[in-house]
């Protein structure tokens, strides 16, 4: 009996059992991977094994499991925030002290335990301080020096009453000279090549109308992307309402850049640091995804809606909005990056990604010009807020669920993260293959 057209189509598209099963499995894997983070622990999660060089209690099975691990790449990211970066500096100091305690090494430094560091604005200055090195292969500064650096030299960076006009001549020249002198004193003739680990520090290049990322990896490839550290710090901190753009060039003069504040392009550099690791197979050959990362991101305090009272600001003119708008834009962008990164980590976000941030209730006590106010009163207030921040239970992103109050305080998060860093550092001595293969500067012929 002949089949009609409708019956023929039904037979043509009738799925087989095998096809249905295969399609279902493929869809389930894709859905789990891209929506919720693939949760088959057998594929990527290493066995929880503690390696302690002071004991001999590890079994042969435990040691073998450590040898077969790919390890985790440890990433540090620091937001930019002017004087508010004192908060990030306090968090860095606490983390370094926790590393000393958990490792038993009183000389432990941040650079010993992180593989990649990214910083924007003053966060970029902190990155250069913690990873810049002279001839002894040790960082120039301790973590405690970061926030003290801002407290001591802030009055050389900013005016007490900064101009709100863009590129106003008298203000920008005085500030630029003070900032440059401080950076030269700190870094002298060091360049990106003189950093211990890969670093990423952004700015916005007016000559190309695009973000520009200063990178150690690029600097080691060619002198055309190697820049002096003091100029890099000056470039990433050149907030347009305070400093004039920085016209700079690479050490060989072949690459030029007219730079302004990195926060305009990348107020939270966490995503850039993660992308750098995932695509840098030369230095991180075994990384397959975010499950192979340990990331801590340091914020500088959230902007609250009540901060800029509508009744107070509705009469502001154009110039009066310059600094507030820059801060609102930068902080909002930083929080969106945090939210996006949290979603990207999926189910391993609680074990592989930590965000340290001061919530808005603390920042409500500060004035509108907190980013540039370097008065003793404001510095004292910021250090108090920083200490309070460490005891706070911060808000965190929830997968497709907005925000919630964290179960741990920022201090507890940093303590836990320090333990993970020390554990990863110990495991690396037991693995067959190296977790990282850092490029090293080549000695120039004499």
């Amino acid at each position: 009996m002949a089949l009609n057209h409708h019956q023929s189509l039904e037979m043509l598209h009738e799925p087989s059992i095998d096809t249905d099963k295969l399609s279902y499995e493929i869809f389930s894997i894709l859905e789990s991977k891209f929506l919720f983070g693939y949760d088959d622990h057998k594929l990527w999660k290493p066995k929880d094994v503690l390696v302690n060089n002071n004991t001999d209690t590890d079994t042969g099975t435990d040691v073998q499991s450590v040898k077969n691990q790919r390890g985790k790449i440890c990433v540090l990211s620091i937001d930019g925030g002017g004087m508010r970066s004192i908060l990030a500096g306090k968090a860095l100091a606490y983390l370094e002290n926790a590393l000393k305690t958990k490792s038993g090494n009183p000389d432990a430094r941040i650079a010993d335990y992180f593989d990649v560091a990214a910083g924007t604005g003053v966060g970029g200055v902190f990155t250069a301080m913690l990873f810049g090195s002279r001839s002894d292969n040790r960082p120039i500064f301790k973590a405690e020096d970061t926030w003290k650096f801002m407290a001591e030299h802030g009055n050389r960076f900013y005016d007490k009453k900064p101009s709100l006009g863009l590129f106003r001549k008298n203000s920008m020249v005085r500030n630029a000279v003070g900032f440059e002198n401080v950076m030269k004193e700190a870094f002298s003739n060091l360049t990106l090549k003189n950093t211990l680990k890969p670093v990423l520090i952004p700015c916005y290049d007016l000559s190309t109308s695009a973000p520009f990322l200063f990178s150690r990896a690029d600097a080691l490839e060619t002198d055309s992307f190697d820049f002096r550290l003091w100029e890099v710090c000056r470039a990433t901190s050149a907030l347009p309402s305070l400093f004039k753009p920085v016209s700079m060039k690479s050490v060989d003069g072949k690459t030029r850049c007219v730079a302004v504040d990195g926060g305009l392009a990348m107020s939270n550099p966490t995503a850039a640091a993660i992308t750098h690791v995932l695509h840098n197979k030369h230095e991180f050959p075994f990384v397959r995804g975010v499950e192979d990362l340990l990331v801590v991101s340091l914020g500088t305090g959230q902007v609250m809606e009540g901060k800029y009272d509508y009744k107070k600001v509705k009469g502001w003119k154009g110039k009066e909005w310059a600094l507030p708008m820059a801060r609102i834009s930068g902080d909002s962008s930083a929080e969106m990056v945090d939210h996006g990164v949290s979603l990207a980590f999926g189910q391993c976000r609680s074990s592989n990604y930590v965000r340290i941030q001061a919530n808005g209730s603390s920042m409500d006590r500060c004035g509108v010009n907190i980013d540039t106010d370097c008065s003793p009163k404001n510095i004292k207030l910021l250090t108090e807020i920083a200490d309070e921040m460490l005891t706070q239970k911060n808000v965190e992103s929830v997968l497709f669920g907005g925000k919630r109050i964290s179960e741990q305080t920022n201090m507890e998060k940093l303590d836990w993260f320090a333990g993970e860093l020390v554990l990863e550092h110990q495991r690396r001595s037991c693995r067959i293959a190296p977790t990282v293969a850092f490029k090293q500067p080549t000695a120039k012929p004499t």
Side-chain angles (χ1 to χ4, degrees), residues 224-419:
S224 297
F225 289 105
D226 191 21
F227 292 83
R228 295 170 183 82
L229 276 181
W230 76 262
E231 288 186 297
V232 171
C233 293
R234 171 74 171 82
T236 193
S237 306
L239 186 64
S241 58
L242 298 174
F243 301 122
K244 65 180 179 180
V246 184
S247 181
M248 55 191 298
K249 58 185 179 180
S250 58
V251 294
D252 65 359
K254 293 183 179 179
T255 303
R256 296 179 180 271
C257 178
V258 181
V260 292
D261 183 32
L264 296 177
M266 200 179 297
S267 56
N268 179 347
T270 307
I274 291 173
T275 304
H276 177 82
V277 173
L278 295 180
H279 294 279
N280 185 353
K281 295 301 182 182
H282 293 290
E283 295 185 298
F284 313 108
F286 302 112
V287 173
R288 296 193 304 187
V290 294
E291 63 270 15
D292 292 329
L293 306 179
L294 279 174
V295 180
V296 62
S297 174
L298 305 181
T300 55
Q302 297 172 330
V303 170
M304 297 294 286
E305 293 180 4
K307 183 64 162 182
Y308 303 106
D309 181 51
Y310 173 73
K311 293 180 181 180
K312 181 178 179 181
V313 305
K314 64 180 181 180
W316 283 3
K317 306 300 181 182
K319 291 181 179 180
E320 295 173 299
W321 276 99
L323 284 178
M325 286 299 291
R327 179 178 168 187
I328 291 172
S329 175
D331 286 358
S332 300
S333 174
E335 291 306 303
M336 288 304 298
V337 170
D338 169 49
H339 184 67
V341 170
S342 295
L343 297 185
F345 273 88
Q347 287 185 343
C348 61
R349 67 192 180 281
S350 60
S351 60
N352 295 57
Y353 174 66
V354 170
R355 174 72 169 170
I356 303 298
Q357 179 68 294
N359 63 40
S361 60
S362 296
M363 304 305 293
D364 279 343
R365 290 183 280 160
C366 302
V368 171
N369 293 331
I370 182 177
D371 295 353
T372 58
D373 185 356
C374 51
S375 64
K377 179 181 177 181
N378 189 56
I379 291 174
K380 182 176 182 295
L381 179 59
L382 283 171
T383 54
E384 291 174 353
I385 292 175
D387 292 332
E388 179 185 334
M389 170 200 71
L390 293 173
T391 64
Q392 289 176 354
K393 290 185 176 181
N394 185 35
V395 295
E396 61 183 11
S397 298
V398 181
L399 193 61
F400 303 126
K403 298 278 188 177
R404 71 178 178 189
I405 299 295
S406 173
E407 295 179 357
Q408 294 179 310
T409 65
N410 285 325
M411 190 178 295
E412 290 170 336
K413 289 180 180 179
L414 289 172
D415 279 324
W416 171 84
F417 198 85

Side-chain angles (χ1 to χ4, degrees), residues 167-240:
F167 309 135
R168 187 167 292 181
K169 183 177 180 180
N170 292 336
S171 175
M172 68 186 181
V173 172
R174 184 166 60 253
N175 287 332
V177 171
F179 196 102
E180 288 177 5
N181 288 339
V182 173
M183 294 299 104
K184 289 177 181 178
E185 292 168 8
F187 302 108
S188 59
N189 61 345
L190 299 181
T191 71
L192 287 168
K193 288 183 179 181
N194 299 120
T195 51
L196 297 169
K197 305 283 181 68
V199 297
L200 302 165
I201 301 175
C203 71
Y204 187 85
D205 183 9
L206 294 177
S207 65
T208 60
S209 299
F212 188 93
L213 200 59
F214 299 104
S215 168
R216 176 185 186 267
D218 292 338
L220 293 179
E221 289 291 330
T222 171
D223 286 344
S224 297
F225 289 105
D226 191 21
F227 292 83
R228 295 170 183 82
L229 276 181
W230 76 262
E231 288 186 297
V232 171
C233 293
R234 171 74 171 82
T236 193
S237 306
L239 186 64

